[in-house]
Amino acid sequence: MKQDLVLSVEKQFEVRFSEVDMMNVVWHGSYPLYLEDAREAFGDKYGLSYHKYISENIFVPVVELKINYKRPLRFGMKPIIKITYRPTESAKIIFDYEIYDPNSKEVYLTAYSVQVFMDRDYNLMWYSPEFYTEWKKDVGLL
């Protein structure tokens, strides 16, 4: 597997009033939604969308999520979220994330997520599905 190829997407978003708490900072439960938005942007760019998983009769649940809150985001801010695919030979998908200010480059959050493959009967798949291996070849990871 080619470890030097970087697959990454950056997306700017605006912190909405509905995402903040009484201190005017983003409620901790809103951050996983930002990460989900980043995964969707990654899928759109690289052809690994949730529509693809559905068409292949595969579920890809998040089984691990680690978030490191560095600084609070506030209502009205327009940070950038960066998602980077972390290559692995295991039957899972790992992403690294960073939310930062586009001007100062100050980092507000770092995170990673791990997703596994399950069939439609909710059985864990121990080997990568064929379409995922083909996707890796298509983007130059194999």
Side-chain angles (χ1 to χ4, degrees):
M1 179 167 303
K2 296 179 182 177
Q3 299 291 332
D4 57 340
L5 179 62
V6 177
L7 302 179
S8 187
V9 174
E10 293 189 15
K11 176 182 179 177
Q12 189 165 31
F13 65 97
E14 184 169 358
V15 175
R16 300 177 308 165
F17 180 74
S18 63
E19 298 164 341
V20 300
D21 61 19
M22 61 189 263
M23 297 183 296
N24 196 38
V25 299
V26 171
W27 174 64
H28 68 278
S30 295
Y31 287 93
L33 299 175
Y34 299 150
L35 305 182
E36 183 73 37
D37 289 344
R39 287 193 297 275
E40 287 182 15
F42 183 92
D44 289 345
K45 180 175 180 178
Y46 291 105
L48 196 61
S49 69
Y50 286 108
H51 293 294
K52 180 65 175 170
Y53 300 134
I54 292 166
S55 72
E56 295 290 339
N57 292 313
I58 300 292
F59 295 130
V60 286
V62 173
V63 295
E64 186 175 351
L65 180 61
K66 171 73 172 164
I67 298 175
N68 295 305
Y69 302 97
K70 307 289 187 186
R71 299 183 51 78
L73 290 173
R74 293 180 179 83
F75 170 57
M77 294 178 78
K78 296 180 180 177
I80 291 177
I81 185 164
K82 179 180 181 181
I83 180 173
T84 305
Y85 177 84
R86 189 190 309 174
T88 179
E89 293 183 19
S90 301
K92 56 186 169 184
I93 303 171
I94 304 172
F95 288 112
D96 294 304
Y97 309 85
E98 184 177 81
I99 295 178
Y100 67 93
D101 181 272
N103 299 316
S104 70
K105 306 302 183 208
E106 187 170 32
V107 175
Y108 289 88
L109 172 140
T110 59
Y112 71 86
S113 65
V114 178
Q115 294 170 269
V116 296
F117 299 103
M118 295 176 74
D119 65 24
R120 287 297 172 118
D121 292 323
Y122 302 97
N123 296 306
L124 180 64
M125 300 175 71
W126 293 101
Y127 299 97
S128 293
E130 185 176 328
F131 83 90
Y132 184 60
T133 302
E134 288 301 315
W135 174 81
K136 285 182 177 182
K137 288 177 186 174
D138 291 346
V139 296
L141 289 169
L142 294 179

